[in-house]
């Protein structure tokens, strides 16, 4: 049996979500974020489809991710958000570096001069995220300096929101104001427009003023809204947005099969630490998936899976390679039957928001954990 899970990725769902984004932003250019292997969905296959559907740029974290796309013969412009170590790769693979300090600009300039080339770059400014980018009163001056550096052509600037997903958008407003201020100043000094982008998925959905010249959605492409903090069937916390974004279609379904079914009497402890004791004679299913496969140990006694269209609970601790579920209420379940970890069957749905909620995290982590450790297959629709 294949260990772990199968992640079934619907490329038509991703195409659909891209069309939704394009409608929302009225056909502005989309920089499709495909870092971390497209949030667990597989960057090469996802990018191929996104290009076919008309994205203008791809966005990745590191040059290694961009190289994988180039080696798959994808020629779309690729923006590399975070890498500063592989300067040669920016040139060899025609990538667009995001420069976030002067030193990086100098290294890129040196390489450009060595090659007798000029390279297009975007520069990141930190407007309040506190992660990477030019910061402080010298920002515009440094931008100008970078624009004047030989071998470098400053074509774009970008910034990133810290909390565009909250219902209180005062901090997002502050960040956007700073960003627009910087954009206006540098455009005036250079006497040309600088291509500017700041909007992640949350800002695509809630913050039209932030759409600017292009948008950079990630999570939305894969069918989830960052605004919904909790699954619909659980009470919303105080940050929860009640609004539903049903128009996005989740692209990932995660499945496994029943490894073994055991008849177990009442009073038997299940798994490490005896955290679950059977209350009745019944059937316990053993699944070939564990935390080594991205199925969080926090799902111990705390998540469901779907078998034959019904929810059944995880019982006992999730192990490294195995998880037990209570199949007593499922008639005629058999070894090798399909088990839905994430996705829909019949009237039941387990989405990434639910799994994220149960494991005290966000759908981003749920999707990357499961998607990047499963065997992926691609389908048109689930
Ligand atoms: C990950 C990332 C995004 C996309 O964020 P989502 O919330 O998934 O839309 C956009 N820009 C940068 C720089 C990122 O790192």
């Amino acid at each position: 049996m294949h260990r772990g899970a199968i992640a079934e990725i619907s490329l038509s769902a991703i195409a659909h979500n891209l069309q939704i984004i394009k409608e929302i932003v009225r056909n502005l250019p989309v920089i499709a974020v495909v870092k971390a292997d497209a949030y667990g969905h597989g960057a090469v296959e996802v990018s191929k489809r996104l290009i076919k559907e008309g994205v203008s740029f791809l966005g990745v974290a590191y040059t290694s991710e961009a190289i994988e796309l180039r080696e798959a013969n994808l020629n779309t412009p690729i923006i590399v958000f975070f890498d500063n170590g592989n300067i040669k790769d920016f040139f060899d693979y025609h990538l667009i570096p995001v420069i976030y300090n002067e030193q990086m600009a100098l290294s890129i300039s040196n390489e450009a001069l060595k090659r007798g080339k000029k390279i297009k770059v975007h520069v990141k400014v930190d407007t309040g995220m506190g992660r990477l980018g030019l910061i402080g009163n010298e920002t515009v001056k440094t931008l100008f300096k970078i624009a004047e550096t030989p071998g470098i052509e400053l074509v774009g600037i970008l910034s990133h929101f810290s909390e565009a997903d909250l219902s209180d958008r005062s901090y997002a407003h502050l960040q956007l104001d700073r960003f627009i201020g910087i954009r206006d100043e540098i455009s005036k000094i250079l006497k040309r427009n600088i291509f500017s982008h700041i909007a992640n998925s949350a800002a695509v959905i809630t913050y039209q003023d932030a759409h600017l010249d292009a948008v950079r959605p990630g999570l939305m492409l894969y069918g989830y809204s960052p605004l919904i903090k909790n699954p619909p069937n659980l009470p919303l916390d105080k940050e929860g947005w009640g609004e539903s974004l049903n128009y996005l279609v989740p692209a990932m379904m995660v499945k496994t099969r029943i490894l073994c079914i055991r008849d177990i009497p009442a009073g038997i402890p299940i798994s490490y630490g005896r955290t679950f004791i059977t209350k009745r004679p019944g059937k316990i299913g053993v699944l070939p998936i564990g935390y080594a496969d991205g199925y969080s140990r926090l799902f111990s006694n705390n998540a469901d899976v779907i078998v034959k269209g019904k929810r059944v609970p995880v019982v006992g601790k999730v192990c490294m390679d195995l998880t037990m579920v209570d199949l007593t209420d499922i008639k005629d379940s058999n070894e090798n039957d399909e088990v839905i970890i994430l996705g829909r069957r019949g009237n039941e749905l387990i989405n990434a928001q639910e799994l994220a909620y149960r494991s005290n995290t966000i759908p981003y982590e749920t999707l990357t954990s499961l998607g990047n450790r499963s065997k992926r297959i691609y389908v048109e629709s689930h």
Side-chain angles (χ1 to χ4, degrees):
M1 184 173 270
H2 171 75
R3 81 157 292 144
I6 307 281
E8 197 180 279
I9 309 298
S10 164
L11 294 174
S12 59
I14 291 173
H16 167 87
N17 297 329
L18 176 64
Q19 293 314 319
I20 299 276
I21 293 166
K22 284 180 158 186
E23 277 169 39
I24 295 175
V25 304
R26 303 194 181 112
N27 280 322
L28 280 175
V30 174
I31 302 163
V33 180
V34 294
K35 65 193 185 196
D37 227 345
Y39 291 43
H41 297 66
V44 169
E45 293 300 320
V46 166
S47 300
K48 276 187 188 161
R49 185 56 179 264
L50 287 169
I51 291 166
K52 224 170 103 188
E53 303 289 332
V55 301
S56 306
F57 299 86
L58 298 168
V60 298
Y62 298 99
T63 54
S64 55
E65 297 174 314
I67 292 168
E68 194 194 351
L69 299 175
R70 287 287 183 254
E71 285 177 347
N73 286 320
L74 305 184
N75 300 315
T76 304
I78 302 177
I79 302 177
V80 181
F81 295 144
F82 308 128
D83 212 337
N84 65 7
N86 303 298
I87 303 291
K88 286 189 167 69
D89 291 340
F90 293 127
F91 293 85
D92 291 343
Y93 294 92
H94 305 284
L95 309 175
I96 302 170
V98 169
I99 289 179
Y100 44 81
N101 56 35
E102 273 186 85
Q103 193 193 331
M104 191 177 167
L106 286 180
S107 315
I108 290 177
S109 166
N110 284 340
E111 186 66 25
L113 293 179
K114 229 190 276 169
R115 293 175 185 238
K117 288 230 163 97
K118 201 157 181 160
I119 187 168
K120 290 183 163 58
V121 306
H122 291 201
V123 176
K124 183 154 205 176
V125 295
D126 184 351
T127 55
M129 170 68 186
R131 196 167 67 176
L132 287 171
L134 309 181
I135 191 165
N137 299 333
E138 303 279 283
T139 296
V140 174
K141 215 165 129 191
T142 310
L143 271 174
F144 179 66
K145 224 162 136 189
I146 293 173
E148 296 285 287
T149 304
I152 286 184
E153 184 185 348
L154 173 66
V155 295
I157 59 169
L158 64 150
S159 193
H160 195 54
F161 283 120
S162 157
E163 47 175 61
D165 54 325
L166 299 190
S167 46
D168 173 0
R169 283 194 284 135
S170 48
Y171 195 68
H173 280 301
L174 179 75
Q175 283 195 264
L176 182 62
D177 278 352
R178 286 179 179 158
F179 188 56
I180 287 176
I182 289 162
R183 178 200 67 183
D184 290 349
E185 274 190 66
I186 190 65
S187 299
K188 208 166 133 195
I189 294 170
L190 296 175
K191 299 189 181 64
R192 59 188 168 91
N193 287 333
I194 301 291
F195 187 74
S196 306
H197 46 103
I198 188 171
N200 54 5
S201 294
V204 165
I205 296 166
T206 66
Y207 202 3
Q208 197 182 334
D209 289 349
H211 293 174
L212 306 181
D213 299 322
V215 294
R216 288 198 315 267
L219 190 68
M220 271 184 99
L221 287 169
Y222 310 104
Y224 288 96
S225 162
L227 307 176
I228 298 172
K229 307 294 188 186
N230 288 328
N233 53 340
L234 290 167
L236 290 171
D237 66 22
K238 60 181 191 310
E239 293 299 342
W241 285 59
E243 115 195 43
S244 116
L245 278 164
N246 290 333
Y247 49 78
L248 296 171
V249 178
M252 186 189 294
M253 179 152 175
V254 178
K255 304 170 173 181
T256 185
R257 295 199 168 272
I258 299 175
L259 178 72
C260 177
I261 299 181
R262 302 173 71 222
D263 290 311
I264 301 278
I268 299 294
I270 304 294
S271 195
Y272 289 114
R274 297 182 291 156
T275 59
F276 182 88
I277 314 279
T278 56
K279 290 177 198 67
R280 52 183 178 166
K283 288 188 193 308
I284 297 293
V286 184
L287 311 181
I289 180 174
Y291 56 79
D293 307 295
Y295 195 64
S296 175
R297 195 160 170 277
L298 296 170
F299 295 138
S300 302
N301 295 306
N302 187 33
D304 294 334
V305 301
I306 305 171
V307 177
K308 293 198 172 284
K310 289 212 173 95
R311 275 180 184 254
V312 298
V314 169
V315 290
K317 291 280 185 203
V318 171
C319 307
M320 188 180 288
D321 324 273
L322 296 171
T323 295
M324 273 62 81
V325 295
D326 187 351
L327 295 175
T328 310
D329 295 328
I330 306 295
K331 288 198 182 67
D332 332 313
S333 60
N334 291 298
E335 287 174 5
N336 219 32
D337 278 353
E338 181 186 76
V339 177
I340 309 293
I341 303 287
L342 168 70
R344 187 186 294 279
R345 260 301 170 271
N347 294 325
E348 290 295 348
L349 166 68
I350 294 171
N351 62 22
Q353 262 116 13
E354 173 177 338
L355 291 181
Y357 178 84
R358 291 182 184 279
S359 53
N360 195 20
T361 184
I362 51 178
Y364 298 76
E365 188 179 351
T366 304
L367 294 174
T368 49
S369 301
L370 285 172
N372 282 334
R373 278 184 268 186
S374 299
K375 177 182 156 64
R376 291 191 204 101
I377 56 173
Y378 291 91
V379 297
E380 271 308 300
S381 55
H382 294 301

